[in-house]
Amino acid sequence: MSTATYTVTGMTCGHCVASVTEEVEQVAGVTAVAVDLPTGRVTVTSEAPVDDALIKGAVEEAGYALQA
Amino acid sequence: MSTATYTVTGMTCGHCVASVTEEVEQVAGVTAVAVDLPTGRVTVTSEAPVDDALIKGAVEEAGYALQA
């Protein structure tokens, strides 16, 4: 099992959290997604390490961005 | 036709706008709902004047509040 943490910018409410969670959960191999709204911290648990670019793409698909 | 304007607090993003719009549109007689996110201003157009309590209830159903 693998865990990685990202910081997502632009989330302002529970709807935003739900959107990001939903998209990141769809990345192959991801088994759990935990979002902390105040900090923008997104913890992604997966079977094996996931390419950061796939997480970035999912976050952007939801309409948000990874912190540079 | 009747138009009334309310100020809704707590909306932070487009998802919030969509939630409020969806709930208020379901109030009987309402024909159009326009939300301005920066100000929280919600303009409700209806066939005949609508009881403010029904709009208040719809806004609260969406998870927000009318400004006191």
Side-chain angles (χ1 to χ4, degrees), chain A residues 10-19 37 64, chain B residues 10-16 64:
Chain A
M11 296 186 296
T12 56
C13 74
H15 299 115
C16 299
V17 170
S19 295
L37 177 56
Y64 303 90
Chain B
M11 296 185 295
T12 57
C13 75
H15 299 115
C16 300
Y64 304 89

Coordinates of all heavy atoms in Angstrom, one line a residue, chain A residues 10-19 37 64, chain B residues 10-16 64:
Chain A
G10 N -7.8 26.2 -4.3 CA -9.0 26.7 -4.9 C -10.3 26.1 -4.3 O -11.4 26.5 -4.6
M11 N -10.1 25.1 -3.4 CA -11.3 24.5 -2.8 C -11.9 25.4 -1.8 O -11.1 25.8 -0.9 CB -11.0 23.1 -2.2 CG -10.5 22.1 -3.2 SD -10.3 20.4 -2.5 CE -9.0 20.8 -1.3
T12 N -13.2 25.7 -1.8 CA -13.7 26.6 -0.8 C -14.8 26.0 0.0 O -15.3 26.6 1.0 CB -14.3 27.8 -1.6 OG1 -15.3 27.3 -2.5 CG2 -13.3 28.6 -2.3
C13 N -15.4 24.8 -0.4 CA -16.5 24.3 0.4 C -16.6 22.8 0.2 O -15.8 22.2 -0.5 CB -17.8 25.0 -0.1 SG -18.4 24.4 -1.7
G14 N -17.6 22.2 0.9 CA -17.7 20.8 0.8 C -18.0 20.2 -0.6 O -17.7 19.1 -0.9
H15 N -18.7 21.1 -1.4 CA -18.9 20.6 -2.8 C -17.6 20.5 -3.5 O -17.4 19.6 -4.3 CB -19.7 21.7 -3.6 CG -21.1 21.9 -3.0 ND1 -21.4 23.1 -2.5 CD2 -22.2 21.1 -2.9 CE1 -22.7 23.1 -2.1 NE2 -23.2 21.9 -2.4
C16 N -16.6 21.4 -3.3 CA -15.3 21.3 -3.9 C -14.6 20.0 -3.5 O -14.0 19.3 -4.3 CB -14.5 22.5 -3.5 SG -15.2 24.1 -4.0
V17 N -14.7 19.8 -2.2 CA -14.1 18.6 -1.6 C -14.6 17.3 -2.3 O -13.9 16.4 -2.7 CB -14.3 18.5 -0.1 CG1 -13.9 17.1 0.4 CG2 -13.5 19.6 0.6
A18 N -15.9 17.3 -2.5 CA -16.6 16.2 -3.1 C -16.2 16.0 -4.5 O -15.9 14.9 -5.0 CB -18.1 16.3 -3.0
S19 N -16.0 17.1 -5.3 CA -15.6 17.0 -6.7 C -14.2 16.5 -6.8 O -13.9 15.6 -7.6 CB -15.6 18.4 -7.3 OG -16.9 18.9 -7.3
L37 N -10.2 20.3 4.0 CA -10.6 21.6 3.3 C -9.7 22.8 3.7 O -9.2 23.5 2.9 CB -12.1 21.8 3.4 CG -12.6 23.1 2.8 CD1 -12.3 23.3 1.4 CD2 -14.1 23.2 3.0
Y64 N -9.7 22.2 -10.2 CA -8.8 22.8 -9.2 C -7.3 22.6 -9.7 O -7.1 22.1 -10.7 CB -9.1 22.2 -7.8 CG -10.5 22.5 -7.5 CD1 -11.5 21.5 -7.8 CD2 -10.9 23.6 -6.9 CE1 -12.8 21.8 -7.6 CE2 -12.2 23.9 -6.6 CZ -13.2 22.9 -7.0 OH -14.5 23.2 -6.8
Chain B
G10 N -23.0 32.5 2.7 CA -22.4 31.2 2.8 C -22.0 30.6 1.5 O -21.3 29.6 1.5
M11 N -22.4 31.2 0.4 CA -22.0 30.6 -0.9 C -20.6 31.0 -1.2 O -20.2 32.2 -1.1 CB -23.0 31.1 -2.0 CG -24.4 30.7 -1.9 SD -25.4 31.2 -3.3 CE -25.3 33.0 -3.2
T12 N -19.8 30.0 -1.6 CA -18.4 30.3 -1.9 C -17.9 29.9 -3.3 O -16.8 30.4 -3.7 CB -17.5 29.5 -0.9 OG1 -17.7 28.1 -1.0 CG2 -17.7 30.0 0.5
C13 N -18.7 29.2 -4.0 CA -18.2 28.7 -5.3 C -19.4 28.4 -6.2 O -20.6 28.5 -5.8 CB -17.3 27.5 -5.2 SG -18.2 26.0 -4.8
G14 N -19.1 28.0 -7.4 CA -20.1 27.7 -8.4 C -21.0 26.6 -8.0 O -22.2 26.5 -8.4
H15 N -20.4 25.6 -7.2 CA -21.3 24.5 -6.8 C -22.3 25.0 -5.8 O -23.5 24.5 -5.8 CB -20.4 23.5 -6.0 CG -19.3 22.8 -6.8 ND1 -18.0 23.0 -6.5 CD2 -19.4 22.0 -7.9 CE1 -17.3 22.3 -7.4 NE2 -18.1 21.7 -8.2
C16 N -22.0 26.0 -5.0 CA -22.9 26.6 -4.1 C -24.1 27.3 -4.8 O -25.2 27.1 -4.5 CB -22.3 27.6 -3.1 SG -20.9 26.9 -2.1
Y64 N -27.7 26.8 3.0 CA -27.3 28.2 3.1 C -28.4 29.0 3.9 O -29.4 28.4 4.4 CB -27.0 28.8 1.8 CG -26.0 28.0 1.0 CD1 -26.4 27.0 0.2 CD2 -24.6 28.2 1.3 CE1 -25.4 26.1 -0.4 CE2 -23.7 27.4 0.7 CZ -24.1 26.4 -0.1 OH -23.2 25.5 -0.7

